[in-house]
Amino acid sequence: MQNSPSHTNAPYTLLPEEPSTPRPPASSQRPVKVFAATAASVVLLMSLVGLIINQSPETPTEGDRRRSDPLASGATSSSRDAGGLPTGVSRGVSAKSYPSVRDRLSYNWTNAMFAWQRTAFHFQPEKNWMNDPDGPLHHMGWYHLFYQYNPDSAVWGNITWGHAVSRDLIHWLYLPLAMVPDRSFDAGGVWTGSATLLPDGRIVVLYTGDTEESVQVQNLAYPANLSDPLLLEWVKYPDNPVIVPPAGIVPDEFRDPTTAWMGPDGTWRILIGTTVNGTGMALIYQTSNFTTYEAQPGLLHAVNGTGMWECVDFYPVSTNSSGGLETSVVGPGVKHVLKASLDDLKKDYYAIGTYDPVSDTWTPDDPEADVGIGLQVDYGRYYASKTFFDQSTGRRILWGWINETDTACDDLAKGWASVQTIPRVVTFDNKTRSNILEWPVDEVESLRLNNSTEFHDILVEAGSVVALDIGMATQLDISVEFQIEGSAALEALEESEAIIECATARNRTTLGPFGLLVLADESLSELTPIYFHIAKSTNGSLTTLFCADETRSSKALEVFNKVYGGPVPVLDDEKFTMRLLVDHSIVESFAQGGRTVITSRVYPTEAIYGAARLFLFNNATGVNVTASLEIWQMNSAFIHPFPLEEL
């Protein structure tokens, strides 16, 4: 069959010409062909200084500063590398370890507890450490996911590119490692990168390599055999690196090239994240052949006070259709999303704006909701997201890394760390016209078992909890609608809040909070509330927040947990709606069709296996709510090694 796996050496024209002379290591001497870019980088640096001086002093929100993540800048950890910093920091990447009171397990975990934590339908390797998704693409009937992977341990280090394939984005087959750190230009790790599909069908990958001298450089790779649907073998361009840090950029703050897009002049553009004096920014480079690059004198965009930008993503969305767009599309009816993973806060922020392909600049629609100070891709345990355009279905699909909040000792004991989210389809919200929508790919619905269980107009009185008899509650797909009783209920809210943010589900107001208790035991000694919180500001305006409270999700006290969440627009003609995917220790929650999303990573000790229960709750003091639900039990996905011996 046309799409069957193949290892034949079919003709394939390699993208670059073979280099005429060998290249010295990046840190000892700049490559000759990069000197032109170096001259341009001096101009770039001067323009950056002017930009930073003249920028407004916007900074991340005060709420982010108060409830700082232990992985955020300045955090300490007992899981440390040789430099005395949290694992990864001394190598110039985000912290990859969590603080613990002592170098021991955070709880008296049993093998049964560890086994339950492993997910049933989210992608994760068989064992060991995983972080960022890399270079997702669709080729000859197979979806390919590459990912940052340590083949030797359940903690960060020795980073390679893991590789898996799927026909449907749900059932996955592990393949051999795609790339390992075996050259001077990536001896410290084959770090995050992106794939670009060229119009003639060729595939190029740009990735960050950590050199022998701990310099972050950008490298080129491509498939050895394009006719192989599994893309098992990859070739690193012998003349790597193709881009080195420009003058004025710290050598270990220059990483994660984006998917390329073609400009109106017929040349390709890519972005690379960096920072200068605390200003996060996306540098822009042009290329016609993916082997030589020219740094542009300006930059796509920068935001003061946001720190290091990593895993930058940049893509178009249609404002008048629900279909996805190929990355190079511009023109009427198109907006562009700029996303950055903020190293200082360990959060993914995005903004919607307008891209000028002539000046190669991007302007946010709302400067007060710029990258790093406005909307988050996901308000929970989520980082390093990356999208790709699925040309087979016309969708823009989003991947994201769910990192751990237990300790490195826990991860070593259970033998693995981290999970990828269920892939999500990204579209423009045509109702609000100010945010994107994220929704699980339709393929996940193939895991629904038999008929759904439905509940209609369940009354949840103020201050009450209602048990839902659904049987097993550890693998679920839940859709729920809430309605507040009484047409004047919203006007009845008397309490005002000086700071509008998600508070613990125990905080009671006239209108709530109300929602679901997932992964709860019968006595409610452990529970994870997912809920709406309606807040009234001091000026009288109302804001709806979508929240997840992990503070009572586990009796393991050394596990990091907090209240996550953010604002969600609820329009006048809409009910309060949410959809939850519960998969053992992972809960992905989508409010109002995906306007606001929260991923939860929890570690119950009691609410596991058959002891896990599902409840409705309403912690309001003054109003009742009604709820209607449709709930499916979910099957497990088939995630196993590819039977290569059968080829």
Side-chain angles (χ1 to χ4, degrees):
M1 295 179 62
Q2 181 180 1
N3 291 334
S4 62
S6 170
H7 294 285
T8 58
N9 293 317
Y12 175 40
T13 302
L14 298 182
L15 179 81
E17 297 292 333
E18 289 297 326
S20 57
T21 57
R23 173 184 295 267
S27 61
S28 60
Q29 181 180 347
R30 289 279 173 87
V32 174
K33 69 182 178 185
V34 183
F35 273 120
T38 303
S41 72
V42 175
V43 178
L44 168 63
L45 178 61
M46 294 177 64
S47 66
L48 294 183
V49 171
L51 181 146
I52 294 168
I53 291 174
N54 291 306
Q55 270 207 322
S56 60
E58 298 286 357
T59 58
T61 65
E62 182 63 26
D64 286 333
R65 299 301 188 192
R66 281 200 311 278
R67 296 186 313 280
S68 61
D69 190 316
L71 287 188
S73 295
T76 59
S77 173
S78 65
S79 176
R80 297 175 183 274
D81 60 18
L85 296 168
T87 305
V89 172
S90 70
R91 298 295 298 177
V93 294
S94 303
K96 307 298 183 187
S97 59
Y98 254 85
S100 175
V101 176
R102 291 167 290 274
D103 281 328
R104 68 180 193 188
L105 296 180
S106 64
Y107 188 77
N108 187 26
W109 301 107
T110 66
N111 288 335
M113 291 176 183
F114 280 150
W116 181 87
Q117 288 181 19
R118 193 167 176 89
T119 60
F121 54 87
H122 283 73
F123 177 81
Q124 59 186 123
E126 289 183 284
K127 60 181 180 179
N128 295 330
W129 170 273
M130 174 180 65
N131 54 287
D132 309 2
D134 293 318
L137 59 90
H138 185 270
H139 176 67
M140 296 182 68
W142 291 95
Y143 290 101
H144 290 255
L145 175 64
F146 306 92
Y147 49 93
Q148 300 282 277
Y149 181 60
N150 182 353
D152 300 327
S153 176
V155 295
W156 184 89
N158 186 32
I159 293 300
T160 68
W161 271 33
H163 187 191
V165 292
S166 172
R167 293 288 194 185
D168 61 3
L169 292 167
I170 302 299
H171 304 283
W172 290 92
L173 297 168
Y174 304 120
L175 291 174
L177 300 176
M179 291 190 286
V180 301
D182 58 1
R183 306 292 177 86
S184 62
F185 50 76
D186 61 12
V190 182
W191 290 355
T192 297
S194 302
T196 300
L197 277 59
L198 304 186
D200 61 5
R202 289 179 293 171
I203 300 170
V204 295
V205 160
L206 291 171
Y207 71 92
T208 297
D210 184 34
T211 72
E212 293 174 326
E213 294 79 15
S214 299
V215 177
Q216 293 173 9
V217 298
Q218 315 313 317
N219 301 315
L220 170 66
Y222 40 88
N225 179 9
L226 195 62
S227 68
D228 175 11
L230 300 182
L231 300 177
L232 287 173
E233 297 180 7
W234 288 80
V235 176
K236 296 177 184 177
Y237 179 47
D239 209 20
N240 277 331
V242 294
I243 308 176
V244 300
I249 298 298
V250 178
D252 65 356
E253 293 182 338
F254 181 68
R255 54 185 177 267
D256 307 337
T258 64
T259 296
W261 74 94
M262 183 175 287
D265 57 359
T267 62
W268 296 90
R269 279 95 161 133
I270 66 163
L271 302 176
I272 300 174
T274 189
T275 184
V276 174
N277 295 331
T279 293
M281 61 188 65
L283 304 181
I284 189 165
Y285 286 79
Q286 287 191 19
T287 182
S288 60
N289 55 14
F290 288 90
T291 62
T292 57
Y293 293 79
E294 181 180 353
Q296 297 306 288
L299 54 134
L300 184 84
H301 193 60
V303 181
N304 189 28
T306 55
M308 175 65 196
W309 285 11
E310 53 184 358
C311 302
V312 173
D313 202 2
F314 185 62
Y315 56 89
V317 289
S318 172
T319 61
N320 48 33
S321 78
S322 59
L325 297 176
E326 195 276 329
T327 308
S328 297
V329 171
V330 295
V334 174
K335 288 288 185 180
H336 275 75
V337 175
L338 177 60
K339 167 259 164 182
S341 299
L342 268 58
D343 191 12
D344 287 354
L345 296 177
K346 303 300 177 291
K347 296 180 180 181
D348 277 20
Y349 282 86
Y350 79 93
I352 296 174
T354 300
Y355 168 58
D356 183 342
V358 177
S359 64
D360 277 329
T361 57
W362 174 91
T363 304
D365 288 348
D366 181 2
E368 294 185 359
D370 207 341
V371 178
I373 58 176
L375 299 171
Q376 294 181 40
V377 178
D378 186 303
Y379 287 81
R381 201 74 236 153
Y382 182 94
Y383 198 62
S385 60
K386 183 177 294 294
T387 68
F388 76 103
F389 177 67
D390 175 11
Q391 75 276 19
S392 69
T393 61
R395 298 176 295 182
R396 171 72 49 179
I397 295 178
L398 170 71
W399 283 98
W401 167 42
I402 308 171
N403 49 4
E404 303 287 342
T405 62
D406 61 358
T407 68
C409 292
D410 296 339
D411 297 338
L412 289 168
K414 70 177 185 277
W416 58 270
S418 302
V419 181
Q420 300 291 339
T421 60
I422 293 297
R424 303 169 184 172
V425 176
V426 177
T427 57
F428 179 75
D429 189 343
N430 279 296
K431 291 185 177 180
T432 65
R433 306 193 71 80
S434 60
N435 55 269
I436 59 173
L437 298 173
E438 304 168 44
W439 200 246
V441 293
D442 289 344
E443 289 89 335
V444 75
E445 296 175 12
S446 67
L447 297 177
R448 293 172 172 174
L449 291 170
N450 303 321
N451 296 323
S452 62
T453 301
E454 297 185 9
F455 299 89
H456 297 284
D457 298 323
I458 301 296
L459 177 64
V460 191
E461 296 180 329
S464 71
V465 174
V466 176
L468 297 173
D469 185 13
I470 61 167
M472 291 287 288
T474 59
Q475 292 177 214
L476 302 174
D477 185 350
I478 308 168
S479 293
V480 57
E481 288 185 349
F482 293 97
Q483 193 160 6
I484 298 174
E485 284 194 338
S487 58
L490 291 177
E491 287 73 23
L493 183 60
E494 298 177 355
E495 307 92 337
S496 63
E497 303 178 31
I499 300 175
I500 304 299
E501 62 183 10
C502 283
T504 174
R506 291 177 174 178
N507 271 22
R508 303 187 68 182
T509 68
T510 304
L511 298 180
F514 56 87
L516 290 168
L517 304 178
V518 299
L519 299 176
D521 65 340
E522 193 71 42
S523 66
L524 301 182
S525 66
E526 286 184 332
L527 47 83
T528 300
I530 311 294
Y531 53 96
F532 291 104
H533 168 60
I534 304 173
K536 183 177 184 179
S537 69
T538 53
N539 66 9
S541 62
L542 295 179
T543 299
T544 300
L545 300 166
F546 186 53
C547 313
D549 182 357
E550 297 181 5
T551 60
R552 291 178 287 165
S553 62
S554 175
K555 292 182 179 179
L557 299 181
E558 289 186 34
V559 168
F560 174 73
N561 53 51
K562 59 177 280 188
V563 180
Y564 294 92
V568 57
V570 180
L571 305 185
D572 290 342
D573 60 344
E574 295 178 341
K575 296 180 180 180
F576 298 89
T577 65
M578 64 172 81
R579 180 182 179 186
L580 276 60
L581 294 177
V582 180
D583 186 7
H584 292 252
S585 58
I586 302 296
V587 184
E588 294 189 59
S589 305
F590 304 82
Q592 303 306 120
R595 287 186 189 132
T596 298
V597 184
I598 307 171
T599 297
S600 302
R601 174 72 169 99
V602 295
Y603 305 83
T605 64
E606 302 284 345
I608 60 177
Y609 295 106
R613 297 286 185 268
L614 178 67
F615 299 85
L616 290 163
F617 83 97
N618 175 15
N619 218 14
T621 60
V623 298
N624 301 331
V625 299
T626 58
S628 296
L629 305 91
E630 190 168 12
I631 304 170
W632 289 266
Q633 298 284 343
M634 296 289 276
N635 203 349
S636 298
F638 184 89
I639 304 177
H640 295 283
F642 196 105
L644 294 174
E645 68 279 358
E646 297 179 9
L647 296 179

